[in-house]
Amino acid sequence: MGYTEYLGAREFLVMVGQPVITYILIMSLFQGIFSILYLFRKDSNYFDYLIKCLYISTGLYFIGFFILAWFHIQIYNTVLIEYPAALRQMIPVETSRIAAPLWIESEKLYFWAMCASAFALTVKKRKDIVAFIGTILSLFSLTVYFFSNPFKDPLPIVNSEITRWYAALSSGDMGIFQLAGTLYGRVTYYYNSTYMWTHPPMLFIAYASLIITFAACVYMLFKKDKLYDEIAYSYAKIGYILLTTGMLMGYPWAIEAWKDSAWWWDPKISGSIMMWVLYSAYLHSRIYISKGRMWKTTAYLGILCSVSLVFTYLLTYIVPGIHSVVQP
Amino acid sequence: MKFKNYDYYLIILTTFILFMIGAVSLYGITYYNYLAVDSGWTKTAQYSRYIDEMDSYLYPFLVLLLISLGLCIPKRLFEQDILLKFSAIILGITVILTIFSTIETGLGFILIVMTVVQSFVLVLTIRKSKSIRFEKEGYIARMGSSLLHLGFVVIMLNFVSLRDSPYHLLIFWFGVIFITLGNVFSFYPEKMASLLPDIGRQDT
């Protein structure tokens, strides 16, 4: 087992995964068309087609996820990092294997979209909200396919780390010492960290749930129907629990992994605080939803929360910081 | 003395304070982006100044939030006029401590007071005391509310005053457990009652 086997698994992932995500895209486009048709014509036939498309696209998302899981297992089984003897005095282990979580790099948006699709299937009370969510998910799938396709160039950063490691190993390059130190840090504090396996998925499941809250809050602006508020609240509860606990779980991880780095008031952390306080404000305002102007205030707050959620997600790509992929 | 719509205005005040903390965070993002001209800037004195500046913007709202939480927490223990006097005294002492010492000292004081009060509320809730009054119905929902508020003040106290304590992480995890259980109990009291029949029976 080694680099060749790893490359074989990666090629197999591209070969099998690309058709799956293409079918997801096609089904999602149909889903989007039927959603729009239902929203304008209110014909139940369109809604039935939309639900069928939603079931198929969600099923395909899960199939793709299992294929990704298989690839991650292959990375774990095939790639073995053996640290040079000279480094073993500084590094407490002799070897490492990469247990990469399924929500890193281009996979995170895929995971979020998959969870959102699964949540959409649980909204049964209002057809109009389901159709609206169907449209959002259709756009989401388009974004995943064109901007964050996990099957096109699977895990480019992990791949470059593995490739550089094996290249340095075979050439006897002295840079391997520095590379081994960097890899040890990445494997220990990032890929294999318990927090990496708990903190991000909790947040992504929360984000997925809060998409439903957003859709219901948009409808609340136009119609004062108690059911819209109930839908918004029932998904906000799930989202808020996961968001709160998930965010808090990032704290001990930051202390451990970034002990020599500056992370307090980092843009992503500020964004997360902003998102959390806005959701707290939303939950507070809905206590008196039937009083005065609180119905609309709550609806606007629910929408603002979702805007801040998307903004916080995008911060990784637009503003420099310790969480970010862009640097000044 | 009973103020009309007291709870309603308290909720509006809390919502507004939370919204303002959100605005401070947004300002922080913009300011960080403006200051981060090179990758090494977090190693400069400017970064420390940025942290201090952001803390100084946040802390007044944190004090206000704690006061609003304070007006909410002991309302279960005291009448409204006593409660307002109690909050005014706490705020006064916090301001005096801030002027003559630091804002951290003032915040630390108010957080300790709130932790003691909320712990007391939790004990009374567990013992089903008649001396506390809740908006929420049901034993589990009340437990949830008490745990959530206690967890929140414990986490804040831990961040503000106990960062260098050897028990910092242990206290943090207690806070996380309180908040998570508090959220679950507050949001799903009926489900929790069916999952925990011994506790759930006390609802009746």
Side-chain angles (χ1 to χ4, degrees):
Chain A
M1 297 295 249
Y3 186 58
T4 318
E5 286 80 5
Y6 157 74
L7 285 180
R10 194 166 185 267
E11 273 175 36
F12 184 77
L13 176 75
V14 175
M15 192 179 73
V16 178
Q18 272 292 30
V20 173
I21 201 159
T22 309
Y23 286 127
I24 292 174
L25 178 74
I26 294 166
M27 290 318 296
S28 298
L29 287 175
F30 277 119
Q31 175 189 304
I33 293 165
F34 290 128
S35 299
I36 293 166
L37 284 171
Y38 177 78
L39 286 170
F40 283 99
R41 297 194 178 168
K42 303 286 176 207
D43 183 337
S44 289
N45 285 328
Y46 293 132
F47 185 76
D48 293 341
Y49 290 134
L50 145 67
I51 290 294
K52 279 176 192 156
C53 290
L54 189 58
Y55 267 106
I56 296 169
S57 61
T58 310
L60 287 168
Y61 263 118
F62 275 96
I63 290 170
F65 187 69
F66 290 127
I67 297 169
L68 285 172
W70 171 84
F71 175 58
H72 283 244
I73 293 167
Q74 294 310 304
I75 295 176
Y76 185 84
N77 287 336
T78 55
V79 178
L80 178 69
I81 299 155
E82 287 180 276
Y83 298 108
L87 259 178
R88 286 182 196 162
Q89 289 161 340
M90 287 180 282
I91 293 174
V93 290
E94 292 183 5
T95 58
S96 286
R97 286 193 183 275
I98 301 171
L102 288 129
W103 28 83
I104 55 170
E105 302 186 36
S106 52
E107 292 170 352
K108 51 188 169 190
L109 208 61
Y110 182 91
F111 181 72
W112 180 6
M114 180 185 76
C115 295
S117 282
F119 272 119
L121 287 174
T122 64
V123 186
K124 295 265 162 72
K125 287 178 184 171
R126 294 302 299 233
K127 287 182 178 177
D128 45 6
I129 290 186
V130 177
F132 184 45
I133 296 165
T135 317
I136 297 171
L137 290 178
S138 183
L139 294 171
F140 211 157
S141 294
L142 265 170
T143 312
V144 170
Y145 187 86
F146 289 108
F147 300 105
S148 189
N149 182 345
F151 302 106
K152 196 179 170 188
D153 176 20
L155 302 178
I157 298 171
V158 174
N159 183 54
S160 84
E161 283 168 347
I162 293 171
T163 305
R164 273 190 289 142
W165 170 256
Y166 279 106
L169 203 65
S170 59
S171 69
D173 184 357
M174 289 304 283
I176 197 166
F177 291 100
Q178 195 191 350
L179 200 57
T182 312
L183 258 181
Y184 172 75
R186 291 278 292 171
V187 172
T188 311
Y189 297 113
Y190 188 64
Y191 300 127
N192 296 14
S193 165
T194 318
Y195 296 112
M196 190 60 203
W197 281 85
T198 48
H199 168 74
M202 285 172 93
L203 296 181
F204 285 123
I205 298 169
Y207 291 178
S209 173
L210 294 166
I211 285 180
I212 317 285
T213 301
F214 164 73
C217 283
V218 169
Y219 272 86
M220 279 172 71
L221 282 182
F222 305 108
K223 223 175 180 181
K224 202 170 178 178
D225 184 339
K226 193 87 182 79
L227 201 56
Y228 291 133
D229 169 54
E230 280 171 19
I231 293 171
Y233 180 53
S234 61
Y235 286 91
K237 287 192 291 189
I238 304 168
Y240 190 75
I241 292 173
L242 290 169
L243 190 68
T244 309
T245 309
M247 272 174 63
L248 286 170
M249 286 185 77
Y251 178 70
W253 187 22
I255 292 178
E256 185 187 301
W258 292 332
K259 51 181 170 275
D260 299 322
S261 307
W263 56 270
W264 191 234
W265 285 114
D266 170 75
K268 188 83 171 181
I269 288 166
S270 303
S272 301
I273 293 170
M274 175 178 70
M275 178 173 60
W276 185 83
V277 291
L278 286 175
Y279 274 110
S280 303
Y282 160 80
L283 289 170
H284 275 84
S285 72
R286 75 162 298 285
I287 294 174
Y288 286 94
I289 194 154
S290 49
K291 204 162 185 169
R293 293 178 181 170
M294 291 303 263
W295 179 273
K296 286 233 160 161
T297 307
T298 306
Y300 279 120
L301 268 174
I303 294 165
L304 190 64
C305 291
S306 308
V307 173
S308 75
L309 188 158
V310 175
F311 177 63
T312 303
Y313 178 81
L314 292 176
L315 278 173
T316 307
Y317 306 97
I318 53 176
V319 175
I322 201 157
H323 276 90
S324 304
V325 292
V326 287
Q327 293 306 325
Chain B
M1 191 167 71
K2 182 98 177 157
F3 296 101
K4 204 182 165 190
N5 295 329
Y6 176 85
D7 291 325
Y8 173 61
Y9 289 115
L10 196 58
I11 288 292
I12 289 181
L13 175 71
T14 311
T15 306
F16 175 73
I17 296 165
L18 288 167
F19 185 83
M20 288 311 294
I21 294 174
V24 169
S25 304
L26 183 63
Y27 172 75
I29 296 165
T30 327
Y31 195 24
Y32 185 105
N33 193 33
Y34 168 73
L35 292 173
V37 284
D38 64 76
S39 55
W41 93 278
T42 53
K43 293 178 179 71
T44 64
Q46 195 181 37
Y47 178 73
S48 304
R49 279 200 299 275
Y50 161 76
I51 295 290
D52 292 341
E53 211 174 312
M54 287 308 298
D55 282 348
S56 72
Y57 298 144
L58 174 73
Y59 283 163
F61 290 108
L62 223 48
V63 169
L64 282 175
L65 187 66
L66 285 165
I67 289 293
S68 117
L69 203 67
L71 289 167
C72 180
I73 292 170
K75 83 174 171 224
R76 298 152 189 176
L77 292 173
F78 309 121
E79 290 302 325
Q80 277 175 7
D81 54 345
I82 301 172
L83 172 60
L84 285 172
K85 284 173 192 162
F86 172 82
S87 300
I89 292 167
I90 297 297
L91 182 61
I93 298 172
T94 306
V95 171
I96 290 166
L97 282 171
T98 304
I99 292 167
F100 290 102
S101 182
T102 58
I103 183 101
E104 280 86 0
T105 315
L107 254 176
F109 163 76
I110 196 169
L111 280 162
I112 288 167
V113 172
M114 291 306 159
T115 306
V116 170
V117 172
Q118 190 53 39
S119 302
F120 188 52
V121 169
L122 182 65
V123 170
L124 291 178
T125 310
I126 292 168
R127 294 176 67 179
K128 292 198 280 181
S129 168
K130 298 263 188 272
S131 60
I132 51 168
R133 298 180 308 282
F134 278 88
E135 296 295 310
K136 288 186 176 178
E137 291 292 326
Y139 183 71
I140 289 185
R142 290 170 177 184
M143 277 276 287
S145 175
S146 302
L147 277 169
L148 185 58
H149 285 104
L150 177 61
F152 183 64
V153 288
V154 164
I155 289 273
M156 287 220 285
L157 176 67
N158 199 29
F159 281 163
V160 173
S161 305
L162 303 169
R163 262 179 292 195
D164 300 322
S165 161
Y167 302 108
H168 179 63
L169 272 181
L170 183 71
I171 297 166
F172 170 82
W173 283 117
F174 270 108
V176 172
I177 292 167
F178 288 161
I179 287 177
T180 308
L181 280 179
N183 268 329
V184 174
F185 282 10
S186 296
F187 289 150
Y188 302 103
E190 293 89 7
K191 282 183 186 162
M192 285 297 112
S194 60
L195 280 173
L196 308 163
D198 287 344
I199 300 174
R201 256 196 301 277
Q202 300 188 49
D203 264 349
T204 53

